[in-house]
Amino acid sequence: MSAAVEGEVRVFAEYERDFTEEADVVVVGSGPCGAVVAHELTARGKRVVLLEEGPPFTPQDFELDGALSMTRMMREAGLRTTRGTIIPTMQTIALGGGSLVNSAICVRPPDFVFEGWEEYAELEGTRRSDLDPHYDAVEAFLGIALTPDELQGQRNLLFRDGCDALGIESEPIARNVRGCRGSGECFTGCRARAKQSMDISYVPAAIKAGARVLTSVQVQEVLSDGRRATGVRGQVVEPFSGRRSHRFRIDAKAVVLAAGCMATPVLLQKSGNLANGSGQVGRNLQFHPGIAVLGIFPEKVDPGFGATQGYQSLAFLREGYKLETLWAPAAILAVRFPGFGHDLKKRLAQVPYAANWDAIATCHRSLGTVRARRGASLDPILTWNFDPEDAQVLGGALYQIARIFFAAGAKTILPGVHGVPDEMHSLEEADVLRTRRYAASDFVTASNHAFCTTRMHGDPAKGVVDPRGRAHEMDGLFLVDTGIFPRCTSVNPMLTGMALAHRSAQAVADEL
Ligand SMILES: Cc1cc2nc3c(=O)[nH]c(=O)nc-3n(C[C@H](O)[C@H](O)[C@H](O)COP(=O)(O)OP(=O)(O)OC[C@H]3O[C@@H](n4cnc5c(N)ncnc54)[C@H](O)[C@@H]3O)c2cc1C
Ligand code: SF4
């Protein structure tokens, strides 16, 4: 948190009794989408209360140990997985939401993604050109810029070199950073405070404009009079233990849910199945499943230096995947190394020579659900099934990464997929990655990009909100997180979530 707003954010120790407050708008969730809406509404002179279940983190709170960091900053200690096809998925619990731990990648999807949205969900006004002014505004506010070569580090530049050698288009990644030092620690929180996460960007700006920000408050129910949302109620929760204490209620003229694409549907379900005449709340869950391949080079790569994710290729988006460079803490990376005991130790000694490149796949065929549990827990029951055709797309991505590694001079790759050798030493050996028929269970995949669980749709019978996030079925209720995407973005979702939220702010203001 910036020194300027420390003390202006209400924290756990400051709640002494039950309380009630009143506002024009109550925003639930301080991730990228909620923070943008809170700021834009406050800047328009509205009285805003922003509620966040997690605590604020300062640089001293960030744990470099990846496993410990996940225990503290992620829901279910970072161990959240789906049923059906098992896929780990991380959602953050902190002031700033996912922006605190993400790699700061900010990409506008190409036109064809929005044309697909329009057609699939009978939408109007969601073309890329309709959203460009909102992307512009967010990019200017956060100082989003391309990662310069001097911050790339070898592990990112080798990706560029491999792509160049093969004639594959690639580009530096645009990120929301100011003064990045290339420490590669985005996942555990930016100790340099270079990453413009919401807690040091949009949230302080909202506070400066007059917003009240309450942390360690868990919203448990959206209140309504049957026709109109009238506020929220919940309890104060202790950071990390989740122990519940004082009760609170916020009365408001409009309620904006930005609790993330897993928490928002659960909140609606727990509130008497609110705004769900379409039956679509909690359905259509989509992920961008990801795979990563390690490459070992003959010379030292020094992978500890460089922007966490500095280079990308959008060349295969229409085929269904995006390629990126990626670095992670050693404890997380270790799961990608095969073998155990002495064998594993020998492999870990290769880390200074290693680079790690990944693919995220557009998986329209692989769908899931989010359901509320019985009882008091707000943790969702997630189900998701990886479609065999989508798994095949991910296999194609593996092969492309192998090509790029060998073109860049790697001597060995570790493909990290079941049913093929642990190590490959040439493109000929890697050909099996291209020809193999994959099963969904072959992949060690994960996804932190999740969407569509309260999707927008032009037809109120088929979706939960309109393109401005207004609930079809309830006045005064807006949803603005990545759950409202009608389909996935094919690229990293944060910037699109913020652009849509930026646009929704005007619709909320108009309704007051
Ligand atoms: C490790 C990681 C790396 C990623 N890298 C990138 C990247 O580089 N680029 C990119 O585009 N995307 C990335 N993503 C995804 C991106 O961070 C998310 O898509 C984005 O944060 C979603 O924003 P949101 O506002 O919808 O939800 P969130 O960021 O999840 O914010 C929701 C907030 O609501 C709070 N909340 C939930 N329930 C309640 C409740 N009941 N009461 C009060 N508060 C509640 C949560 O604690 C949370 O802070 C990454 C995600 C992770 C986890
Ligand atoms: S690479 Fe390091 S300095 Fe740069 S934004 Fe990420 S954590 Fe911060």
Side-chain angles (χ1 to χ4, degrees):
M1 211 173 5
S2 84
V5 296
E6 233 167 302
E8 296 178 51
V9 168
R10 203 158 163 199
V11 296
F12 177 70
E14 293 167 331
Y15 300 100
E16 289 170 349
R17 58 185 70 86
D18 294 355
F19 62 94
T20 303
E21 291 197 15
E22 192 251 331
D24 291 331
V25 186
V26 58
V27 179
V28 181
S30 66
C33 302
V36 168
V37 164
H39 172 257
E40 293 304 314
L41 284 166
T42 318
R44 286 171 173 79
K46 308 301 174 197
R47 293 172 309 135
V48 173
V49 173
L50 175 62
L51 304 178
E52 169 55 52
E53 184 175 345
F57 280 77
T58 66
Q60 293 73 36
D61 300 322
F62 294 139
E63 290 287 349
L64 269 182
D65 176 326
L68 186 52
S69 168
M70 281 162 63
T71 309
R72 289 160 53 88
M73 298 180 82
M74 303 296 185
R75 292 195 177 260
E76 301 181 54
L79 297 174
R80 180 172 280 181
T81 57
T82 54
R83 300 176 181 180
T85 309
I86 296 173
I87 183 171
T89 177
M90 289 186 230
Q91 282 78 46
T92 315
I93 174 164
L95 184 67
S99 68
L100 228 70
V101 298
N102 74 22
S103 302
I105 299 177
C106 293
V107 202
R108 297 188 196 198
D111 285 335
F112 80 82
V113 168
F114 297 103
E115 286 158 16
W117 280 19
E118 212 172 43
E119 195 180 330
Y120 176 74
E122 301 165 35
L123 295 167
E124 278 176 24
T126 51
R127 289 271 165 137
R128 168 69 191 265
S129 52
D130 297 312
L131 294 177
D132 271 340
H134 303 283
Y135 282 114
D136 290 345
V138 173
E139 287 188 2
F141 186 92
L142 292 175
I144 292 170
L146 296 180
T147 306
D149 275 2
E150 58 272 24
L151 283 176
Q152 292 287 1
Q154 272 296 95
R155 63 177 151 74
N156 293 329
L157 291 177
L158 283 164
F159 176 85
R160 177 199 63 187
D161 295 347
C163 286
D164 285 354
L166 296 168
I168 296 171
E169 268 186 48
S170 67
E171 62 209 31
I173 292 178
R175 295 179 307 141
N176 54 316
V177 300
R178 286 194 167 101
C180 171
R181 299 174 189 171
S183 68
E185 347 175 312
C186 289
F187 178 72
T188 49
C190 179
R191 289 183 297 163
R193 283 314 213 186
K195 182 168 36 168
Q196 296 301 292
S197 48
M198 299 304 112
D199 56 324
I200 60 165
S201 55
Y202 271 106
V203 170
I207 290 173
K208 211 167 156 203
R212 284 168 282 162
V213 178
L214 280 57
T215 62
S216 292
V217 285
Q218 181 190 59
V219 172
Q220 295 161 345
E221 189 181 354
V222 179
L223 304 171
S224 83
D225 61 11
R227 278 182 45 81
R228 189 175 182 89
T230 56
V232 299
R233 66 163 192 81
Q235 274 176 283
V236 171
V237 288
E238 186 177 52
F240 314 125
S241 78
R243 188 178 59 82
R244 290 165 164 161
S245 60
H246 308 295
R247 294 181 184 278
F248 69 87
R249 194 183 77 224
I250 313 289
D251 298 323
K253 295 176 193 155
V255 174
V256 177
L257 296 185
C261 100
M262 293 177 188
T264 289
V266 166
L267 265 179
L268 292 172
Q269 290 165 0
K270 290 268 184 188
S271 307
N273 211 14
L274 209 63
N276 194 21
S278 65
Q280 298 299 317
V281 169
R283 297 187 63 189
N284 314 302
L285 172 65
Q286 285 193 19
F287 286 113
H288 272 159
I291 41 107
V293 178
L294 274 161
I296 312 296
F297 287 85
E299 308 293 335
K300 274 198 173 166
V301 170
D302 190 14
F305 174 72
T308 306
Q309 300 199 256
Y311 242 85
Q312 66 185 8
S313 172
L314 306 183
F316 303 97
L317 271 195
R318 281 189 186 272
E319 285 167 47
Y321 56 90
K322 173 182 185 254
L323 303 180
E324 310 169 327
T325 60
L326 169 67
W327 199 242
I332 309 290
L333 214 56
V335 303
R336 284 286 297 99
F337 282 86
F340 54 91
H342 181 65
D343 190 31
L344 178 62
K345 271 166 73 181
K346 256 174 52 192
R347 283 207 166 93
L348 288 176
Q350 296 179 315
V351 167
Y353 299 83
N356 188 36
W357 299 340
D358 75 284
I360 53 173
T362 303
C363 291
H364 293 320
R365 289 164 285 229
S366 306
L367 297 175
T369 55
V370 176
R371 279 185 297 126
R373 288 172 199 272
R374 286 209 189 93
S377 169
L378 294 184
D379 287 334
I381 299 171
L382 304 172
T383 309
W384 182 74
N385 291 303
F386 197 13
D387 182 276
E389 290 308 308
D390 286 337
Q392 207 57 32
V393 170
L394 213 44
L398 270 179
Y399 177 68
Q400 289 302 342
I401 298 176
R403 280 182 76 211
I404 299 167
F405 264 125
F406 287 118
K411 60 178 178 124
T412 305
I413 63 161
L414 310 180
V417 64
H418 180 70
V420 301
D422 286 344
E423 287 193 358
M424 295 174 178
H425 305 282
S426 68
L427 193 55
E428 290 68 40
E429 276 181 51
D431 199 48
V432 62
L433 298 173
R434 182 178 63 82
T435 55
R436 182 177 160 73
R437 190 76 207 162
Y438 291 94
S441 54
D442 286 345
F443 295 97
V444 182
T445 176
S447 183
N448 303 322
H449 298 176
F451 351 78
C452 308
T453 54
T454 51
R455 73 179 182 195
M456 63 170 86
H457 204 288
D459 180 349
K462 296 182 185 161
V464 185
V465 295
D466 75 9
R468 273 151 179 90
R470 199 183 286 111
H472 283 306
E473 286 204 350
M474 171 129 313
D475 293 339
L477 178 63
F478 290 80
L479 315 184
V480 302
D481 51 48
T482 60
I484 70 169
F485 294 2
R487 294 183 108 180
C488 83
T489 33
S490 297
V491 299
N492 318 64
M494 174 174 68
L495 185 62
T496 298
M498 290 195 285
L500 286 169
H502 189 270
R503 185 167 79 161
S504 289
Q506 189 56 51
V508 181
D510 290 346
E511 181 141 328
L512 295 174

